[in-house]
Amino acid sequence: MAGIVLVQDDETRAAPPPIALTVDALPGTPARTQVSDSRGVLATLTTGSKTVTMRGQTRTFTEQKRPFTDEFTRTTTNGFGMSPGGGNWSQSGSATLYSVPGGVGQISCDVANTSRHTTIVDPLTDVDVTAKVTITDAPAGASASIALAVGYTDTNNANRARLLVTTAGVVQLALEKEVAGTVTALGTATQIGTGFAAGDWWRIRIERTGTTLRCRAWQDGTDEPSTWLHSVTDAANPVGRVGFRAVASTGSTGLPRVFQVDDLRVISGSRAVAPTVTHNTWVRVLPQPFSGTWTPALAAQIRAWANDTTPDVLAYAMMYVTGSPSVADPALGGARIAGQADYGPLAADGVPVEGADFHDFMGLAWEFPNGETQSAGIGEQGCLDCSGFVRMIYGYHMGIPMVRTSNIDGVTLPRMTKDIGPSGPGIIVAQATGTAPALTGIQIGDVPHFDADTSDVVAGQLDHNGIYLGVDSVGRHRFVNSRKTPDGPTFADLGGESTLDGAGLYATSLRLIRRF
């Protein structure tokens, strides 16, 4: 009838024509196939590898400081050692003046009017930090003070909230800045307590946001005040370390004066230069290695991936770095399968212990397809060591079959880095002996392997790996990896630059690049 337009319903409407694809073999090795559409390069496949790089939505990956607590649950005699998740402690003067006798950090001031400084080697900008402090004996002859410092660059440049104790037992709090050795009071010493007795613990909190600097202190075991005692605007020392400064004032007697610190908490912090990687590459995984032959099934898969925004290799990798929210799987009894991860439980010296695989993170025993079984490691729930992190991403999430130490056949993903590098799935893109191979053939999603530990019993054995993330905002080749000093997965530079170029530990110890 006139005036009626017939429209097909959704089930009978003709499907749009498939995306037109152009397929070309790329020169050089390894053998690669490039797939293009009307907009340009869409995908790149590598013969012998399951991983495929796809053009997708542009993403930016950024990592800030991971909050951490140092409870000093270790024993050291020369310096404070390593703060789990925070980095190494550095000190002024003799390292023997700084120790961790077990449960607390200890600073010995053996000379009057000589400051002792100890800081965590990790420059930060905005920061919120708190810690407990005390003096093991009452000050004699003159006052003594212990300060919580931020913006520390050296012994003559820092901001600090300084807790002073007089010989009469009066407790005061001052806010100071020191620039080129000149100390300026930003908040004068104000009484906050009396009757100090040796060993009384006090807590200090100092916060910097932009040019706002503020602090407060209270006796441990009492409620934290709701207001700041000192709050000022000052632009000095905008970037620097967190730490402590102790001093026995001129006229002090009965030295050494021993100060103790505990429960350091970096509640939040911003890195001076936060690593940022931006690109439009997504990394997908085929069910079988690409044979080098283009097929209709591959064409269908590439077309499907062209508009796919479900998590890929990089998205899954970001599910374990700083600030990642926890994700539980009801099908695994509510086991946690994603979220900010640690590296491993702490040893007696405070250093995280390796050994946490993907199923240890979940707290589950696991049976592998080849019949190997493994129970969940004690204390390893929520933890991933370097190869455990790679296996969590490429094995558990992306489906590459895993084994532990048996049936390592070049197809399955072994447990240990020393086996993954030479005998893992996929192909070797580049390798060298005793030096770093060239990065000319590296591709986002590749797995770099390192000989980073010179104490290995077997010289030249691969002992660390990660996942290549891409070129960062300043042109550095950056990778994401799980390691001890930051206590978990990271692509930041705490405890070593997470870059494959330059003169850092990982750039110089890179030995092999594998493409799964």
Side-chain angles (χ1 to χ4, degrees):
M1 295 190 313
I4 297 177
V5 178
L6 299 178
V7 179
Q8 292 177 310
D9 62 25
D10 289 341
E11 293 184 359
T12 60
R13 183 182 297 130
I19 302 170
L21 301 178
T22 302
V23 180
D24 298 292
L26 295 175
T29 57
R32 294 182 300 153
T33 296
Q34 181 176 283
V35 183
S36 303
D37 62 7
S38 60
R39 295 172 52 198
V41 177
L42 176 62
T44 302
L45 298 82
T46 303
T47 301
S49 167
K50 291 183 177 182
T51 56
V52 179
T53 56
M54 294 288 306
R55 185 190 69 225
Q57 295 180 2
T58 297
R59 297 177 291 183
T60 295
F61 306 103
T62 306
E63 186 175 358
Q64 280 293 356
K65 175 67 180 175
R66 173 177 297 204
F68 73 94
T69 298
D70 191 341
E71 296 179 330
F72 296 92
T73 53
R74 55 189 180 274
T75 300
T76 67
T77 56
N78 288 276
F80 278 5
M82 192 180 88
S83 179
N88 293 314
W89 286 91
S90 177
Q91 60 281 321
S92 65
S94 173
T96 59
L97 298 173
Y98 309 82
S99 62
V100 183
V104 295
Q106 194 159 280
I107 306 170
S108 179
C109 288
D110 57 343
V111 179
N113 201 35
T114 299
S115 298
R116 303 300 181 194
H117 302 259
T118 181
T119 55
I120 295 176
V121 185
D122 189 19
L124 303 173
T125 52
D126 290 354
V127 65
D128 183 2
V129 59
T130 181
K132 290 166 53 177
V133 299
T134 191
I135 311 174
T136 60
D137 58 344
S143 64
S145 66
I146 175 75
L148 186 56
V150 297
Y152 174 101
T153 53
D154 57 42
T155 57
N156 294 315
N157 296 273
N159 299 323
R160 52 183 174 254
R162 185 158 69 105
L163 192 82
L164 300 93
V165 181
T166 71
T167 55
V170 174
V171 181
Q172 302 171 320
L173 182 67
L175 180 61
E176 301 172 341
K177 69 175 180 180
E178 184 170 0
V179 178
T182 299
V183 178
T184 302
L186 301 176
T188 58
T190 302
Q191 181 174 317
I192 56 174
T194 59
F196 178 86
D200 283 351
W201 286 96
W202 283 74
R203 184 170 284 278
I204 307 172
R205 184 171 180 178
I206 183 170
E207 179 186 275
R208 181 183 55 227
T209 305
T211 57
T212 299
L213 189 67
R214 52 194 187 179
C215 68
R216 57 189 175 217
W218 63 100
Q219 192 160 12
D220 189 46
T222 64
D223 292 338
E224 179 177 356
S226 59
T227 58
W228 298 96
L229 182 64
H230 300 300
S231 182
V232 301
T233 299
D234 194 278
N237 304 310
V239 178
R241 305 175 186 175
V242 166
F244 298 98
R245 181 252 202 186
V247 62
S249 300
T250 300
S252 294
T253 58
L255 301 180
R257 188 79 63 241
V258 177
F259 300 83
Q260 291 184 335
V261 299
D262 194 13
D263 196 28
L264 173 75
R265 304 177 193 172
V266 175
I267 299 167
S268 64
S270 299
R271 297 196 182 281
V273 180
T276 301
V277 178
T278 301
H279 54 66
N280 66 350
T281 299
W282 292 56
V283 182
R284 301 293 183 183
V285 175
L286 293 166
Q288 298 295 330
F290 177 51
S291 66
T293 301
W294 183 249
T295 67
L298 282 171
Q301 181 65 84
I302 295 303
R303 288 188 177 103
W305 279 339
N307 298 303
D308 191 351
T309 57
T310 59
D312 70 331
V313 167
L314 304 186
Y316 279 122
M318 295 302 109
M319 292 182 185
Y320 300 91
V321 299
T322 301
S324 302
S326 291
V327 178
D329 187 350
L332 293 174
R336 181 171 174 250
I337 60 168
Q340 178 176 302
D342 296 329
Y343 182 88
L346 304 183
D349 61 359
V351 177
V353 179
E354 68 179 315
D357 200 0
F358 72 97
H359 64 91
D360 297 311
F361 177 91
M362 303 176 193
L364 300 175
W366 208 263
E367 181 174 356
F368 296 89
N370 66 346
E372 289 181 293
T373 59
Q374 187 69 20
S375 60
I378 298 174
E380 293 178 351
Q381 191 166 355
C383 300
L384 291 168
D385 66 15
C386 64
S387 54
F389 173 65
V390 169
R391 280 159 61 87
M392 175 65 89
I393 307 309
Y394 270 109
Y396 179 74
H397 287 297
M398 302 307 295
I400 293 179
M402 291 179 283
V403 297
R404 283 186 56 80
T405 57
S406 300
N407 304 108
I408 298 172
D409 55 8
V411 176
T412 54
L413 180 53
R415 169 66 182 103
M416 292 182 281
T417 301
K418 70 179 182 66
D419 296 321
I420 298 173
S423 306
I427 64 166
I428 293 174
V429 175
Q431 63 179 324
T433 301
T435 188
L439 300 175
T440 51
I442 197 167
Q443 180 175 286
I444 293 170
D446 284 353
V447 180
H449 291 73
F450 309 86
D451 177 18
D453 189 347
T454 57
S455 66
D456 284 339
V457 175
V458 179
Q461 179 174 284
L462 299 175
D463 49 46
H464 187 65
N465 62 8
I467 299 172
Y468 179 54
L469 189 57
V471 177
D472 67 17
S473 58
V474 294
R476 306 292 301 279
H477 291 274
R478 193 163 290 275
F479 71 106
V480 57
N481 62 128
S482 184
R483 60 180 190 264
K484 295 178 181 179
T485 306
D487 192 23
T490 182
F491 56 96
D493 296 328
L494 178 61
E497 293 182 339
S498 294
T499 53
L500 303 180
D501 55 337
L505 170 64
Y506 297 107
T508 57
S509 65
L510 177 66
R511 296 293 179 265
L512 183 148
I513 301 169
R514 178 169 283 281
R515 186 168 301 158
F516 289 171

Short mmCIF file of all heavy atoms in Angstrom, two decimals, residues 194-231:
data_model
loop_
_atom_site.label_atom_id
_atom_site.label_comp_id
_atom_site.label_asym_id
_atom_site.label_seq_id
_atom_site.Cartn_x
_atom_site.Cartn_y
_atom_site.Cartn_z
N THR A 194 53.38 17.00 78.81
CA THR A 194 54.33 17.12 79.92
C THR A 194 54.58 15.73 80.51
O THR A 194 53.90 14.76 80.18
CB THR A 194 53.78 18.05 81.01
OG1 THR A 194 52.54 17.53 81.48
CG2 THR A 194 53.59 19.47 80.49
N GLY A 195 55.57 15.68 81.39
CA GLY A 195 55.83 14.45 82.12
C GLY A 195 56.40 13.33 81.27
O GLY A 195 56.13 12.14 81.54
N PHE A 196 57.19 13.69 80.26
CA PHE A 196 57.76 12.64 79.43
C PHE A 196 58.64 11.72 80.27
O PHE A 196 59.48 12.16 81.05
CB PHE A 196 58.61 13.25 78.30
CG PHE A 196 59.28 12.23 77.41
CD1 PHE A 196 58.60 11.70 76.33
CD2 PHE A 196 60.58 11.79 77.68
CE1 PHE A 196 59.21 10.75 75.51
CE2 PHE A 196 61.19 10.85 76.88
CZ PHE A 196 60.50 10.32 75.79
N ALA A 197 58.43 10.42 80.07
CA ALA A 197 59.27 9.41 80.72
C ALA A 197 59.98 8.61 79.65
O ALA A 197 59.45 8.43 78.54
CB ALA A 197 58.41 8.49 81.60
N ALA A 198 61.18 8.15 79.96
CA ALA A 198 61.97 7.39 78.99
C ALA A 198 61.14 6.26 78.39
O ALA A 198 60.50 5.50 79.11
CB ALA A 198 63.22 6.83 79.66
N GLY A 199 61.13 6.21 77.06
CA GLY A 199 60.40 5.15 76.38
C GLY A 199 58.96 5.47 76.06
O GLY A 199 58.27 4.63 75.47
N ASP A 200 58.47 6.67 76.44
CA ASP A 200 57.11 7.05 76.06
C ASP A 200 57.04 7.26 74.55
O ASP A 200 57.85 8.02 73.98
CB ASP A 200 56.71 8.37 76.75
CG ASP A 200 56.36 8.17 78.21
OD1 ASP A 200 56.25 7.01 78.64
OD2 ASP A 200 56.18 9.20 78.91
N TRP A 201 56.08 6.62 73.92
CA TRP A 201 55.95 6.74 72.47
C TRP A 201 55.00 7.87 72.10
O TRP A 201 53.93 8.02 72.67
CB TRP A 201 55.41 5.44 71.87
CG TRP A 201 56.43 4.34 71.83
CD1 TRP A 201 56.59 3.34 72.74
CD2 TRP A 201 57.42 4.12 70.82
NE1 TRP A 201 57.62 2.50 72.37
CE2 TRP A 201 58.15 2.96 71.19
CE3 TRP A 201 57.77 4.78 69.63
CZ2 TRP A 201 59.20 2.45 70.43
CZ3 TRP A 201 58.82 4.28 68.88
CH2 TRP A 201 59.52 3.14 69.27
N TRP A 202 55.42 8.66 71.13
CA TRP A 202 54.60 9.71 70.54
C TRP A 202 54.50 9.48 69.03
O TRP A 202 55.40 8.89 68.43
CB TRP A 202 55.22 11.09 70.80
CG TRP A 202 54.98 11.56 72.21
CD1 TRP A 202 55.59 11.11 73.34
CD2 TRP A 202 54.05 12.55 72.63
NE1 TRP A 202 55.09 11.76 74.45
CE2 TRP A 202 54.14 12.66 74.04
CE3 TRP A 202 53.13 13.37 71.96
CZ2 TRP A 202 53.35 13.54 74.77
CZ3 TRP A 202 52.35 14.26 72.68
CH2 TRP A 202 52.46 14.32 74.08
N ARG A 203 53.40 9.92 68.46
CA ARG A 203 53.23 9.78 67.01
C ARG A 203 53.22 11.16 66.37
O ARG A 203 52.57 12.09 66.88
CB ARG A 203 51.94 9.03 66.68
CG ARG A 203 51.75 8.78 65.18
CD ARG A 203 50.61 7.85 64.88
NE ARG A 203 50.94 6.46 65.15
CZ ARG A 203 51.62 5.67 64.33
NH1 ARG A 203 52.11 6.16 63.19
NH2 ARG A 203 51.85 4.42 64.64
N ILE A 204 53.95 11.27 65.27
CA ILE A 204 54.01 12.51 64.49
C ILE A 204 53.36 12.25 63.13
O ILE A 204 53.51 11.17 62.56
CB ILE A 204 55.47 12.96 64.26
CG1 ILE A 204 56.24 13.05 65.58
CG2 ILE A 204 55.51 14.29 63.52
CD1 ILE A 204 57.73 13.30 65.38
N ARG A 205 52.68 13.25 62.61
CA ARG A 205 52.16 13.17 61.25
C ARG A 205 52.47 14.47 60.53
O ARG A 205 52.25 15.56 61.06
CB ARG A 205 50.65 12.92 61.25
CG ARG A 205 50.05 12.74 59.85
CD ARG A 205 48.61 12.27 59.94
NE ARG A 205 48.00 12.08 58.63
CZ ARG A 205 46.76 11.64 58.44
NH1 ARG A 205 46.00 11.36 59.50
NH2 ARG A 205 46.28 11.49 57.22
N ILE A 206 53.01 14.35 59.33
CA ILE A 206 53.31 15.53 58.51
C ILE A 206 52.77 15.28 57.11
O ILE A 206 52.85 14.17 56.59
CB ILE A 206 54.83 15.83 58.49
CG1 ILE A 206 55.12 17.10 57.69
CG2 ILE A 206 55.63 14.65 57.98
CD1 ILE A 206 56.56 17.59 57.84
N GLU A 207 52.20 16.32 56.54
CA GLU A 207 51.56 16.21 55.23
C GLU A 207 51.95 17.41 54.38
O GLU A 207 51.96 18.55 54.86
CB GLU A 207 50.05 16.16 55.40
CG GLU A 207 49.25 16.07 54.11
CD GLU A 207 47.76 16.17 54.36
OE1 GLU A 207 47.13 15.13 54.66
OE2 GLU A 207 47.22 17.30 54.26
N ARG A 208 52.27 17.14 53.12
CA ARG A 208 52.50 18.22 52.18
C ARG A 208 51.60 18.01 50.97
O ARG A 208 51.58 16.93 50.37
CB ARG A 208 53.96 18.27 51.71
CG ARG A 208 54.22 19.43 50.74
CD ARG A 208 55.64 19.47 50.21
NE ARG A 208 55.99 18.22 49.60
CZ ARG A 208 57.15 17.57 49.83
NH1 ARG A 208 58.01 18.07 50.68
NH2 ARG A 208 57.41 16.43 49.24
N THR A 209 50.84 19.06 50.61
CA THR A 209 50.00 19.04 49.42
C THR A 209 50.27 20.33 48.67
O THR A 209 49.87 21.41 49.11
CB THR A 209 48.50 18.94 49.77
OG1 THR A 209 48.28 17.81 50.61
CG2 THR A 209 47.66 18.81 48.51
N GLY A 210 50.98 20.24 47.54
CA GLY A 210 51.38 21.44 46.84
C GLY A 210 52.32 22.25 47.71
O GLY A 210 53.35 21.75 48.15
N THR A 211 51.95 23.49 48.01
CA THR A 211 52.78 24.33 48.87
C THR A 211 52.26 24.37 50.31
O THR A 211 52.77 25.14 51.13
CB THR A 211 52.86 25.76 48.32
OG1 THR A 211 51.53 26.29 48.19
CG2 THR A 211 53.53 25.78 46.95
N THR A 212 51.25 23.57 50.61
CA THR A 212 50.72 23.52 51.98
C THR A 212 51.45 22.45 52.77
O THR A 212 51.52 21.29 52.37
CB THR A 212 49.21 23.21 51.98
OG1 THR A 212 48.52 24.25 51.28
CG2 THR A 212 48.68 23.13 53.40
N LEU A 213 52.00 22.86 53.91
CA LEU A 213 52.74 21.95 54.79
C LEU A 213 52.12 22.04 56.17
O LEU A 213 51.92 23.14 56.71
CB LEU A 213 54.21 22.38 54.84
CG LEU A 213 55.20 21.46 55.53
CD1 LEU A 213 55.37 20.16 54.74
CD2 LEU A 213 56.56 22.15 55.66
N ARG A 214 51.78 20.87 56.76
CA ARG A 214 51.15 20.90 58.08
C ARG A 214 51.54 19.66 58.87
O ARG A 214 51.95 18.64 58.31
CB ARG A 214 49.64 21.01 57.93
CG ARG A 214 48.98 20.00 57.02
CD ARG A 214 47.56 20.41 56.70
NE ARG A 214 46.82 19.40 55.96
CZ ARG A 214 45.55 19.51 55.59
NH1 ARG A 214 44.87 20.60 55.93
NH2 ARG A 214 44.94 18.55 54.91
N CYS A 215 51.37 19.77 60.21
CA CYS A 215 51.78 18.66 61.06
C CYS A 215 51.00 18.67 62.37
O CYS A 215 50.39 19.69 62.76
CB CYS A 215 53.28 18.72 61.35
SG CYS A 215 53.79 20.12 62.38
N ARG A 216 51.02 17.54 63.05
CA ARG A 216 50.48 17.41 64.40
C ARG A 216 51.16 16.22 65.05
O ARG A 216 51.81 15.40 64.39
CB ARG A 216 48.96 17.22 64.36
CG ARG A 216 48.45 16.06 63.55
CD ARG A 216 46.93 16.14 63.42
NE ARG A 216 46.33 15.15 62.56
CZ ARG A 216 45.30 15.37 61.76
NH1 ARG A 216 44.73 16.57 61.72
NH2 ARG A 216 44.78 14.41 61.00
N ALA A 217 51.00 16.11 66.37
CA ALA A 217 51.59 14.99 67.12
C ALA A 217 50.72 14.71 68.33
O ALA A 217 50.03 15.59 68.86
CB ALA A 217 53.01 15.32 67.56
N TRP A 218 50.75 13.46 68.79
CA TRP A 218 49.95 13.05 69.93
C TRP A 218 50.59 11.83 70.58
O TRP A 218 51.36 11.11 69.94
CB TRP A 218 48.52 12.75 69.51
CG TRP A 218 48.37 11.61 68.54
CD1 TRP A 218 48.01 10.32 68.81
CD2 TRP A 218 48.59 11.66 67.11
NE1 TRP A 218 47.98 9.56 67.68
CE2 TRP A 218 48.33 10.36 66.61
CE3 TRP A 218 48.98 12.67 66.22
CZ2 TRP A 218 48.45 10.04 65.26
CZ3 TRP A 218 49.10 12.36 64.87
CH2 TRP A 218 48.84 11.06 64.41
N GLN A 219 50.30 11.63 71.85
CA GLN A 219 50.88 10.49 72.54
C GLN A 219 50.25 9.20 72.02
O GLN A 219 49.04 9.10 71.83
CB GLN A 219 50.67 10.61 74.06
CG GLN A 219 51.49 9.60 74.85
CD GLN A 219 51.68 10.02 76.30
OE1 GLN A 219 51.02 10.92 76.79
NE2 GLN A 219 52.61 9.36 76.99
N ASP A 220 51.11 8.22 71.75
CA ASP A 220 50.63 6.96 71.22
C ASP A 220 49.64 6.32 72.19
O ASP A 220 49.83 6.33 73.40
CB ASP A 220 51.82 6.01 70.99
CG ASP A 220 51.41 4.76 70.24
OD1 ASP A 220 50.70 4.88 69.24
OD2 ASP A 220 51.82 3.67 70.68
N GLY A 221 48.55 5.79 71.64
CA GLY A 221 47.51 5.20 72.48
C GLY A 221 46.36 6.14 72.75
O GLY A 221 45.34 5.71 73.30
N THR A 222 46.53 7.42 72.37
CA THR A 222 45.43 8.37 72.49
C THR A 222 44.92 8.69 71.09
O THR A 222 45.53 8.33 70.09
CB THR A 222 45.89 9.67 73.19
OG1 THR A 222 46.88 10.32 72.36
CG2 THR A 222 46.50 9.36 74.55
N ASP A 223 43.78 9.36 71.03
CA ASP A 223 43.17 9.68 69.74
C ASP A 223 44.00 10.73 69.00
O ASP A 223 44.52 11.68 69.60
CB ASP A 223 41.75 10.20 69.92
CG ASP A 223 40.80 9.12 70.44
OD1 ASP A 223 41.11 7.93 70.26
OD2 ASP A 223 39.77 9.49 71.03
N GLU A 224 44.07 10.56 67.69
CA GLU A 224 44.74 11.56 66.86
C GLU A 224 43.91 12.84 66.87
O GLU A 224 42.69 12.81 66.72
CB GLU A 224 44.89 11.05 65.42
CG GLU A 224 45.54 12.05 64.49
CD GLU A 224 45.76 11.50 63.09
OE1 GLU A 224 45.46 10.30 62.86
OE2 GLU A 224 46.23 12.27 62.23
N PRO A 225 44.55 14.00 67.06
CA PRO A 225 43.82 15.27 67.03
C PRO A 225 43.11 15.46 65.69
O PRO A 225 43.57 14.97 64.65
CB PRO A 225 44.91 16.32 67.23
CG PRO A 225 46.02 15.59 67.91
CD PRO A 225 45.98 14.20 67.36
N SER A 226 42.01 16.15 65.70
CA SER A 226 41.24 16.38 64.48
C SER A 226 41.72 17.60 63.71
O SER A 226 41.31 17.81 62.57
CB SER A 226 39.75 16.55 64.81
OG SER A 226 39.56 17.64 65.71
N THR A 227 42.58 18.41 64.33
CA THR A 227 43.09 19.61 63.67
C THR A 227 44.60 19.56 63.62
O THR A 227 45.26 18.84 64.38
CB THR A 227 42.65 20.88 64.42
OG1 THR A 227 43.13 20.81 65.78
CG2 THR A 227 41.13 21.01 64.44
N TRP A 228 45.15 20.34 62.70
CA TRP A 228 46.61 20.43 62.57
C TRP A 228 47.15 21.48 63.53
O TRP A 228 46.57 22.55 63.67
CB TRP A 228 46.99 20.78 61.13
CG TRP A 228 46.55 19.75 60.14
CD1 TRP A 228 45.41 19.76 59.39
CD2 TRP A 228 47.22 18.53 59.82
NE1 TRP A 228 45.33 18.64 58.61
CE2 TRP A 228 46.43 17.86 58.85
CE3 TRP A 228 48.41 17.94 60.25
CZ2 TRP A 228 46.80 16.63 58.30
CZ3 TRP A 228 48.77 16.72 59.70
CH2 TRP A 228 47.98 16.07 58.75
N LEU A 229 48.25 21.17 64.19
CA LEU A 229 48.85 22.13 65.11
C LEU A 229 49.51 23.26 64.34
O LEU A 229 49.40 24.44 64.69
CB LEU A 229 49.88 21.44 66.00
CG LEU A 229 50.55 22.33 67.05
CD1 LEU A 229 49.52 22.83 68.06
CD2 LEU A 229 51.66 21.56 67.77
N HIS A 230 50.22 22.92 63.29
CA HIS A 230 50.87 23.91 62.43
C HIS A 230 50.44 23.67 60.99
O HIS A 230 50.43 22.53 60.53
CB HIS A 230 52.40 23.82 62.51
CG HIS A 230 52.96 24.03 63.89
ND1 HIS A 230 52.78 25.20 64.60
CD2 HIS A 230 53.69 23.21 64.69
CE1 HIS A 230 53.39 25.09 65.77
NE2 HIS A 230 53.94 23.89 65.85
N SER A 231 50.09 24.74 60.29
CA SER A 231 49.73 24.66 58.88
C SER A 231 50.17 25.94 58.20
O SER A 231 49.76 27.04 58.60
CB SER A 231 48.22 24.47 58.71
OG SER A 231 47.87 24.33 57.35
#
